[in-house]
Amino acid sequence: MEEQEKSYSIDLNETADPGESISEENYVQTITEVSVVTGKPMENDENIMGRTFKSDDDAYEFYNAYARTVGFSVRKQSASKRKADKEVMGRIFCCSREGEREKHPRGTPTKPRALTRTGCMARMQIRINDDETYSIVSFVTEHNHELFSQDKMHLLRSQRKIQPAQATLINNMVSAGFGATRIFSYMSEEAGGPQNLNFTQEDCNNLVQAKRIGYLKEGDAKVLLAYFKRKQKENKSFFYTIQVGDDGCIMNYFWCDAKSRLDYSIFGNVVCFDTTFKTNGYDMLFAPIVGVNNHGQTILFGYALLKNETTDSFVWLFETFLDVMEGKEMKTIFTDQASQMATTIKQVFPNAHHRLCLWHIFQNATKHLSNIFGTHKSFASDFRKCIYDYETEDEFLLGWEQLLETYDLKDNKWLNNLFKLREKWSQVYGREHFCAGMTTTQRSESINNYFKKYFKKKQTLSEFVVQSDKAVDARREKARKADHKSVSTQPDLTSVWEVEKKAAEIYTRKIFNEFHSELLRLIDLYLNSILMTEQQTYIKYHHIL
């Protein structure tokens, strides 16, 4: 088929009002006067040829909008510029398929890219006027290639542009913890499909990544410090501190806000501490210090990012925590079995009862005694009795001796070392200490799992801290809902006992429900037998059901 080229030229003396510029509304109106089938101007060509623009950028936006209705992508060619001030004197905007591919400087590559240039001559040329505006002096409409349909226009490079309002929404969603994939999916749904957006998933990914790169260019630690200072300016009770190593590098961070400090003053008798969670680009340990509130919910007293699990790091963290909390020492602290942790707690919190996580102990038992667990099915039950079931110290000591003798484990090094720590894990020794219903560091582990919903595997420190704050805000909203429920509702009492009525008045709904369950079990008891000895009288009860 013979290619034809049509061009249009004008007399610059017959241009439209030089002061006329192209607003969004104007050029939308103009492009509707162009056939979207052929790409040719309609009969009143002067609507195209008579256009005047305040800048070459305005001219580009006009031509790109025209290209979107026709079905092609636009590229800027080199401009002629005034030597004195580099002002653009003239420029050609062409179809992106203009020209031919240049030869590769090192010959034909092994995997050459697909051809995109077809020598298309479609273009728009502008020239500067005496009043510094620009006019169209040439407009070629014919293309030598197939044009794109409207449902594919969002894939063309010049048509892909994230608008400022869209960029703001994306950045806000990133700050709220959404990833690029979920953000694009949401915006596609709102637009009625990805074809109705003016950008692609790749563009969304690039914008999110650009924000992270911006953090790194400015200095991630610098951005994080600026965030901490801004939080402290908003509330003077916000606290943060940093430990710097001998080489001048930042080793550890600790921060907490006014709400965390208030919660610790009320609920800080029992805390849980765990350092098993890594989820930032620097592989630092996330170490939240957590407790439990009057609704039985996990709450956070402070947050740390630690470079390592050395005694020095733990001493720095706990001494900082104790200082921030005005010297209030917890009554009980749950941790894992790390020796550095035990040394630190004894040094910083000498009056606290140190409890070891029972879940971790049982997991370590299955690791160190795997052959015993595999050979003797009854061992797990007997070992669990030593942890949970015995009522007195004498019963525990007797049961432990029987365990070692039954399974021939008297010389087992791991069990002997564990026995030396018995006051930290056997329930016999823990019942006299207030533990807020905790027996493990599960609260720390559950809070870690909760935080993982907000974090990505690799994040800058500043992103990490911002997301942790948002995660905490969401948890506190649950506490507010529980407060509201306790104040605005009354439980349905099932007895005439005064103790139940009094409990309903002073307990939160969560705690009352636990109390009520025990009360019902008490009501269901009936006297089974009485056994009298010279020393004591034993009364035995059974449940009705």
Side-chain angles (χ1 to χ4, degrees):
M1 181 178 70
E2 183 180 356
E3 302 279 352
Q4 291 186 352
E5 176 184 307
K6 287 189 178 181
S7 64
Y8 300 83
S9 60
I10 61 171
D11 183 349
L12 293 181
N13 294 324
E14 297 179 1
T15 60
D17 183 357
E20 181 182 0
S21 62
I22 301 300
S23 66
E24 181 177 355
E25 296 174 10
N26 280 342
Y27 76 64
V28 168
Q29 181 181 1
T30 298
I31 60 177
T32 58
E33 297 168 351
V34 180
S35 170
V36 296
V37 178
T38 64
K40 301 176 182 179
M42 299 179 74
E43 292 183 1
N44 52 343
D45 297 334
E46 64 276 6
N47 284 325
I48 296 292
M49 300 303 295
R51 285 290 173 182
T52 301
F53 311 98
K54 287 184 177 181
S55 68
D56 63 322
D57 288 334
D58 286 346
Y60 171 79
E61 294 297 334
F62 168 81
Y63 191 56
N64 197 44
Y66 159 81
R68 187 175 186 90
T69 66
V70 174
F72 67 98
S73 184
V74 173
R75 193 175 76 247
K76 292 181 180 180
Q77 285 192 338
S78 59
S80 58
K81 297 184 178 180
R82 193 159 48 205
K83 290 184 178 180
D85 56 5
K86 303 299 181 182
E87 180 74 24
V88 174
M89 303 299 293
R91 188 190 292 276
I92 294 176
F93 305 102
C94 62
C95 173
S96 63
R97 307 191 74 172
E98 176 270 346
E100 303 291 341
R101 175 184 290 180
E102 296 181 0
K103 292 185 178 180
H104 198 279
R106 293 189 298 273
T108 304
T110 305
K111 295 182 179 180
R113 292 180 299 171
L115 291 171
T116 58
R117 304 289 184 91
T118 63
C120 182
M121 294 300 294
R123 64 186 61 200
M124 181 181 84
Q125 183 177 1
I126 61 171
R127 186 181 300 163
I128 197 168
N129 299 318
D130 292 338
D131 60 359
E132 302 296 317
T133 61
Y134 295 86
S135 296
I136 300 174
V137 296
S138 177
F139 198 92
V140 180
T141 63
E142 294 296 333
H143 295 263
N144 66 354
H145 55 86
E146 185 178 355
L147 298 174
F148 288 89
S149 59
Q150 290 301 300
D151 63 344
K152 297 182 179 65
M153 289 306 299
H154 65 293
L155 302 175
L156 301 183
R157 178 173 294 181
S158 72
Q159 306 301 334
R160 289 161 52 182
K161 182 179 180 181
I162 299 178
Q163 299 298 329
Q166 294 172 323
T168 299
L169 176 60
I170 291 172
N171 287 328
N172 288 341
M173 294 182 73
V174 169
S175 298
F178 291 92
T181 301
R182 292 179 66 190
I183 292 172
F184 186 78
S185 176
Y186 167 78
M187 298 185 76
S188 296
E189 185 71 21
E190 286 291 302
Q195 73 278 5
N196 295 324
L197 287 174
N198 51 322
F199 60 92
T200 64
Q201 176 73 71
E202 181 183 359
D203 299 323
C204 185
N205 296 345
N206 290 340
L207 179 62
V208 173
Q209 184 64 17
K211 187 174 183 180
R212 298 186 73 247
I213 292 173
Y215 286 147
L216 296 174
K217 282 183 178 180
E218 189 175 347
D220 191 25
K222 183 178 179 181
V223 174
L224 179 56
L225 289 178
Y227 176 78
F228 282 152
K229 289 178 180 178
R230 187 169 66 252
K231 296 282 286 187
Q232 194 173 65
K233 187 176 181 181
E234 294 171 357
N235 190 321
K236 292 183 179 179
S237 294
F238 180 89
F239 175 87
Y240 74 94
T241 187
I242 295 167
Q243 184 185 34
V244 180
D246 295 335
D247 57 358
C249 295
I250 294 176
M251 294 288 294
N252 303 312
Y253 296 84
F254 174 79
W255 71 100
C256 64
D257 60 11
K259 175 63 174 171
S260 294
R261 298 171 78 173
L262 176 63
D263 283 345
Y264 182 77
S265 69
I266 301 172
F267 306 114
N269 287 330
V270 183
V271 304
C272 188
F273 183 73
D274 182 74
T275 58
T276 60
F277 184 32
K278 288 184 180 182
T279 182
N280 57 80
Y282 299 87
D283 284 330
M284 297 183 78
L285 294 157
F286 181 52
I289 301 174
V290 306
V292 58
N293 66 9
N294 55 336
H295 301 291
Q297 298 172 332
T298 303
I299 54 176
L300 289 105
F301 301 137
Y303 329 87
L305 283 169
L306 304 177
K307 198 68 176 177
N308 51 49
E309 292 182 277
T310 63
T311 301
D312 288 343
S313 290
F314 290 143
V315 168
W316 173 84
L317 172 60
F318 289 152
E319 286 183 344
T320 299
F321 181 77
L322 188 62
D323 183 55
V324 173
M325 300 305 175
E326 300 179 348
K328 177 181 177 178
E329 189 175 337
M330 71 286 295
K331 296 183 183 299
T332 305
I333 180 170
F334 283 86
T335 73
D336 60 21
Q337 205 171 333
S339 59
Q340 305 97 315
M341 198 79 73
T343 302
T344 303
I345 292 172
K346 188 175 182 180
Q347 176 181 335
V348 183
F349 305 126
N351 299 314
H353 178 58
H354 183 196
R355 300 290 297 171
L356 297 178
C357 171
L358 300 186
W359 183 86
H360 276 118
I361 287 177
F362 205 86
Q363 291 299 307
N364 287 333
T366 59
K367 176 182 176 182
H368 291 280
L369 305 171
S370 57
N371 58 326
I372 303 298
F373 276 91
T375 305
H376 304 282
K377 293 184 178 180
S378 60
F379 177 78
S381 176
D382 291 342
F383 183 67
R384 189 176 283 108
K385 284 182 181 179
C386 291
I387 296 176
Y388 295 102
D389 291 354
Y390 295 119
E391 295 292 333
T392 67
E393 183 178 4
D394 289 341
E395 288 179 351
F396 165 76
L397 294 174
L398 180 61
W400 185 262
E401 286 297 322
Q402 290 177 345
L403 179 79
L404 299 183
E405 185 175 344
T406 301
Y407 300 100
D408 193 21
L409 293 171
K410 289 188 176 182
D411 296 327
N412 185 274
K413 185 176 179 180
W414 184 82
L415 281 175
N416 289 333
N417 288 333
L418 183 66
F419 180 73
K420 295 175 182 178
L421 302 173
R422 60 190 179 278
E423 293 184 359
K424 295 183 178 181
W425 55 265
S426 175
Q427 292 295 84
V428 168
Y429 301 97
R431 290 192 180 97
E432 63 185 80
H433 300 280
F434 177 63
C435 295
M438 284 192 262
T439 58
T440 71
T441 58
Q442 185 179 5
R443 295 217 175 241
S444 287
E445 290 158 12
S446 66
I447 206 71
N448 287 344
N449 290 330
Y450 171 77
F451 274 118
K452 287 177 183 178
K453 299 175 184 178
Y454 288 82
F455 299 148
K456 295 182 281 292
K457 290 183 178 179
K458 297 296 180 182
Q459 288 180 306
T460 64
L461 292 177
S462 43
E463 285 178 310
F464 184 91
V465 171
V466 170
Q467 289 306 313
S468 69
D469 285 350
K470 294 185 180 298
V472 171
D473 287 342
R475 277 201 90 77
R476 288 174 177 170
E477 179 63 16
K478 291 184 178 180
R480 285 189 286 269
K481 289 180 179 178
D483 284 339
H484 173 72
K485 184 177 181 180
S486 293
V487 172
S488 61
T489 64
Q490 293 293 327
D492 186 17
L493 305 184
T494 57
S495 75
V496 295
W497 290 9
E498 187 66 23
V499 66
E500 183 182 20
K501 180 180 177 182
K502 193 65 177 178
E505 294 174 358
I506 62 176
Y507 289 155
T508 63
R509 293 290 78 78
K510 169 71 175 180
I511 303 303
F512 176 81
N513 289 340
E514 294 183 3
F515 164 82
H516 192 250
S517 296
E518 294 298 321
L519 181 66
L520 291 180
R521 289 169 59 86
L522 178 63
I523 294 174
D524 287 342
L525 291 177
Y526 72 95
L527 182 64
N528 181 269
S529 61
I530 299 177
L531 176 64
M532 300 182 66
T533 67
E534 294 181 359
Q535 292 81 18
Q536 285 182 307
T537 299
Y538 295 92
I539 303 176
K540 192 173 184 180
Y541 292 91
H542 277 190
H543 282 284
I544 296 174
L545 297 178

